[in-house]
Amino acid sequence: MLVSRALIASLTLLPIWLAYVVPFVRMRRGATIPSERWRALHEKHAPRFYRLAVRMRGGLIKVGQILSTRVDILPVEWTSTLSGLQDRVDPLPWIELEPHVRRAYGRSPHELFESIDTQPTAAASFGQVHKAVTPDGERVALKIRYPDAEAKLAADMFTLRMMLPLFSVFVPQMSLRPIFEEVRRALFTELDYEQEARFTQTVHENFKEVPRIHVPRVLTEYTRRDVICTTWFEGKKIIDPTLLADPRMDRRALLELVIEAWVKMMYVDGVFQSDPHPGNLLARIGEDGQPEVCIVDFGQVKILTRAFHQTLVRSVMSFVTHDVDGFAQTLSELGLFAEKDIPRVKPLLEKILGRYATMTPEQTQAMDFTWVREEVLSQISSVRGIVIPQELVLYGRTFALLAGLSRSIDPTVDAFALAKPHFLRAMLAGGPPA
């Protein structure tokens, strides 16, 4: 099965490479390739990779999601197409999953738990979630890793590694190997359920005293290498139409809870869940009539150091005050380009800051993080030799997902303005622990 998986992926990727290599070689030899020709290629082959990822599931969906953020490598037609990849797959029937769970516990899970719902509540690329009840009556969630998840991901990474030299010819100004290794490391880290359990418990401890924001507690006695057992939260997906349409639901208060949670994780605690899509956030109306949220799935967690935090704050301040020299220096410190390249990049940064400086107050007020991110990254990506570090890509993707989530919860609320007081309090707190 794994051989056929690699073969199917290769038979899709190779024709894509062939379609691009001919015009690319002609261009390198001096021929002029119309932009319409490139656009037509992008619009034809980006959906081909999209369909491959959906068909193969597993690691290829994750790779596509990561590639959708790499505006420094891929054209907008590719990033916009791949941004539609959702980590939703058909669940594995319990009859196929139970032997795997039995091996994880060393005995039948039905002997260990009072009851287990054999219908999953959620399914993703690497695993699925089942509701269960412990012998003492506590409701829990069992996140079970698929038995073939590691093998499938290894096959996908092998195929991509073999294809890497072929696709490297399109970006001679940079090495794709470090980017590939970072992606591979991130995906195998997401498969490490023991680490995910530790991160889940860490963030749970950080939020124990925060009202209306919940993070599941890990039950270590029921947690294994392939199974994470956490407390159960009775809620709906945060953008569930029935939830948001409930006349008792205060959407603004709900959105503020989400913002408060991520500001605390990113700027106070320094440990944040970097995949805030709607499937990883549950919500409900509490007994007091106020909204409550629960953050789940800590497979993608980022540690934000105090040094990174301080540099990022200086970068934002330089952007807001139109300090070109300071903006260039902080971007260099963040790893976008070497310090020796600052003179080459400064004219581009002056253009970006100049555009911001000429905006009307109304335009500035309407500006959100998505605009800033796309404007800066699209301009920077036009400079040869600049590679956006995966750490910064992940950080930016977190904000982009939060921006999309904000629009889904309440498009009438200015999330940027709503975040300011929380952000300022976090800044006064001094940033994450050293």
Side-chain angles (χ1 to χ4, degrees):
M1 183 184 72
L2 296 180
V3 173
S4 63
R5 181 182 182 87
L7 185 60
I8 291 170
S10 299
L11 291 177
T12 301
L13 294 173
L14 191 57
I16 292 176
W17 178 81
L18 288 171
Y20 278 95
V21 74
V22 174
F24 182 80
V25 170
R26 288 183 57 216
M27 183 186 70
R28 298 282 289 181
R29 291 178 176 177
T32 300
I33 309 297
S35 58
E36 294 79 9
R37 168 65 175 154
W38 289 118
R39 191 177 304 113
L41 282 171
H42 302 331
E43 291 174 352
K44 177 181 179 181
H45 294 290
R48 291 188 67 182
F49 185 88
Y50 179 97
R51 291 191 294 270
L52 173 71
V54 171
R55 178 185 178 186
M56 294 288 99
R57 311 194 316 180
L60 283 179
I61 282 185
K62 297 289 187 179
V63 169
Q65 290 173 338
I66 293 173
L67 289 178
S68 71
T69 67
R70 300 304 310 224
V71 297
D72 54 334
I73 301 174
L74 295 175
V76 66
E77 291 85 0
W78 274 80
T79 56
S80 61
T81 298
L82 298 183
S83 65
L85 283 170
Q86 297 295 315
D87 199 14
R88 293 194 299 265
V89 300
D90 295 330
L92 199 65
W94 178 254
I95 193 171
E96 296 181 28
L97 195 62
E98 184 178 7
H100 179 59
V101 181
R102 181 188 294 268
R103 286 192 295 272
Y105 284 122
R107 56 175 163 154
S108 171
H110 295 287
E111 298 176 12
L112 198 58
F113 296 94
E114 183 70 25
S115 66
I116 297 179
D117 188 347
T118 58
Q119 294 299 316
T121 60
S125 295
F126 294 152
Q128 61 193 51
V129 178
H130 288 259
K131 186 178 180 180
V133 179
T134 64
D136 59 0
E138 185 169 17
R139 293 184 300 170
V140 296
L142 298 178
K143 183 177 179 181
I144 305 166
R145 187 173 65 174
Y146 294 134
D148 60 354
E150 281 185 302
K152 283 185 175 180
L153 181 57
D156 293 342
M157 292 298 101
F158 174 80
T159 303
L160 294 176
R161 182 186 288 112
M162 293 300 101
M163 291 288 176
L164 203 62
L166 294 179
F167 285 92
S168 292
V169 301
F170 300 126
V171 280
Q173 73 273 17
M174 68 176 72
S175 172
L176 295 182
R177 178 69 65 177
I179 297 173
F180 168 80
E181 291 298 334
E182 182 66 29
V183 169
R184 185 191 64 81
R185 188 160 46 249
L187 294 181
F188 276 105
T189 296
E190 189 170 344
L191 276 176
D192 186 347
Y193 273 24
E194 291 172 313
Q195 176 173 278
E196 180 177 342
R198 291 193 295 272
F199 278 137
T200 303
Q201 189 60 28
T202 296
V203 182
H204 167 80
E205 295 294 332
N206 291 340
F207 278 88
K208 276 199 329 188
E209 306 301 324
V210 180
R212 303 206 307 277
I213 300 176
H214 303 270
V215 175
R217 174 175 58 86
V218 176
L219 282 72
T220 56
E221 64 270 34
Y222 299 110
T223 295
R224 300 292 186 270
R225 182 175 180 272
D226 293 319
V227 183
I228 302 175
C229 180
T230 63
T231 48
W232 179 265
F233 178 87
E234 194 64 53
K236 297 180 179 179
K237 186 185 294 188
I238 197 167
I239 60 170
D240 186 295
T242 60
L243 177 76
L244 296 180
D246 192 318
R248 299 172 298 162
M249 174 56 72
D250 185 338
R251 293 193 184 195
R252 181 186 178 91
L254 178 63
L255 179 55
E256 187 160 11
L257 285 177
V258 174
I259 291 172
E260 179 186 351
W262 259 267
V263 169
K264 173 174 165 56
M265 282 191 285
M266 299 176 81
Y267 298 108
V268 178
D269 303 327
V271 181
F272 69 95
Q273 199 260 42
S274 60
D275 194 23
H277 66 72
N280 288 340
L281 280 160
L282 304 175
R284 69 186 178 199
I285 299 172
E287 294 180 358
D288 60 356
Q290 295 298 311
E292 299 178 11
V293 299
C294 179
I295 307 165
V296 299
D297 193 344
F298 290 83
Q300 293 186 34
V301 168
K302 193 65 186 174
I303 306 296
L304 186 65
T305 66
R306 176 172 288 183
F308 182 87
H309 164 87
Q310 292 173 340
T311 304
L312 202 63
V313 169
R314 287 192 288 113
S315 175
V316 173
M317 293 303 297
S318 298
F319 180 87
V320 173
T321 59
H322 312 146
D323 178 4
V324 178
D325 290 327
F327 194 45
Q329 183 62 44
T330 53
L331 292 184
S332 174
E333 291 175 18
L334 288 171
L336 269 76
F337 45 81
E339 190 167 2
K340 63 181 177 61
D341 292 324
I342 289 180
R344 182 167 62 95
V345 177
K346 271 183 62 176
L348 180 64
L349 300 182
E350 288 175 352
K351 178 182 175 182
I352 294 173
L353 295 185
R355 180 175 174 183
Y356 172 68
T358 58
M359 294 174 71
T360 65
E362 292 77 15
Q363 289 173 320
T364 303
Q365 187 174 8
M367 183 182 70
D368 61 10
F369 178 81
T370 303
W371 182 91
V372 176
R373 175 179 179 266
E374 292 179 353
E375 176 70 14
V376 173
L377 294 186
S378 62
Q379 293 290 342
I380 287 178
S381 65
S382 65
V383 180
R384 292 173 62 87
I386 290 183
V387 182
I388 303 172
Q390 185 65 21
E391 181 179 58
L392 201 57
V393 169
L394 193 63
Y395 186 89
R397 178 176 181 266
T398 302
F399 269 105
L401 287 172
L402 287 172
L405 190 65
S406 300
R407 290 190 293 271
S408 298
I409 294 173
D410 192 341
T412 66
V413 173
D414 182 354
F416 222 47
L418 202 61
K420 284 179 182 176
H422 296 285
F423 183 75
L424 289 174
R425 282 196 295 271
M427 295 301 100
L428 292 174

